Amino acid sequence: MKLKHSIVRFLFGSLSVLLLFFLTGCWSSHEIEELSLGVGMAIDTNKESNSEKMINEKGEGDSKKNMITTTYQLITPEIASSSSKGGGSQKYSYLNISQTGDSILQEVRELSLRTDIPLNATHMKVVVIGDEVAQSFSLQELFDLYLRDNEFRPSCLVVVSKGRASDTLLSKKEGEVPAFRLFGIVDNAYRTTKILPPVSIIKLDGKLQSGSSFLLQNVVSANGQVKFAGAAVIDGKTKKLRGFLNEKELEGITWLTGKGKGGVVKSFDLQSKRMIVYEMESMKSKITPHVRGNNISFDVNIVSKGRLSEHRVDSSTPFENSFLKRAETSTGIAVKQLIDHSIKKMQKDYQVDVSGFGNQLKIDHPHLWEKVKKDWDQIFSEVPIRYNVKITIKGYGASGHYK
């Protein structure tokens, strides 16, 4: 009996010793005081004045047109400490540092010559691409490093800036971190149809590999403030920026794809010509391709339910069925106008499919898709698109009268 208890005690003691090895933490960890956390990055063309001469250290004579300027937004231990104490002359909660070169990786390494705390990109939230660099370089080239480097988190948001991307990483609001601000705006998609579903680095890789054209959220900046304003059109063949959709055209794309989570549509009553505001609570879109011989066409059926949130029609009340039907009709007309503008922009102006028509054709007619996918954008520009919009108002608030 004693022998049995001794064996049990021995095994228990050995297990306890083994468990101690699992309590030592991460052997490869670094103290937070030893890190400079990168939270945002902007990629621009080289903005070099005549008085600033680039010196090619290798003497290889690389063209300056291949130079890009990368701006990193950092949160250093000193900044975090100063901000948390709220004292001193510290105004900003971030530090922006820029580096110019023709190799992004080399630029990152060059930062080691300017700061004693190396860049850590595992907490990177957003990458902003300037429109000039997106027109000059393929996104496949620009993101080659980030798709290979496991230090960059694949969930990092990617957006395009109309203007200098580095300007979007500026703020005049004390204590605000611009990268966090950009990343947070995406969460407002439930309130508007003007925000695209977020495109992360890993999703961007899939879009680039597909060879299809696609959209990235566009952001504009001025005086330290930013706004999501439309979308950037990325050409599937060149992987470069083709142009921009304005906010209304982006709304039309959202209705075509049925990916909106919330938003409002302003229309005008057909009788009184007074304003009506419809608040969308749900939307669905079904794209149906039709193939007859060599002819391709599409039908799009869009349904949405929502509420009457505001109107200026003095002689009507929301409880009247006749008024609700007029409101549904006027809202449907307004949605169709948004879609009309978007289709014209895609088919006539840019000749690209960024609404998923090709993807639905691929699903329903895979053999045909293999024949047309190479020239799909050009073929799409001539394809007939018919669509139907059905709006249903399910609510109109607590008051039945408007005075």
Side-chain angles (χ1 to χ4, degrees), residues 386-402:
R386 298 175 295 271
Y387 54 88
N388 179 62
V389 178
K390 182 180 179 181
I391 302 294
T392 302
I393 295 177
K394 304 295 289 184
Y396 35 75
S399 174
H401 297 277
Y402 180 86

Side-chain angles (χ1 to χ4, degrees), residues 189-193 261-265 278-281:
Y190 72 99
R191 303 181 67 88
T192 175
T193 52
K261 297 180 179 179
V264 298
V265 177
Y278 168 80
E279 186 175 7
M280 183 268 292
E281 295 179 346

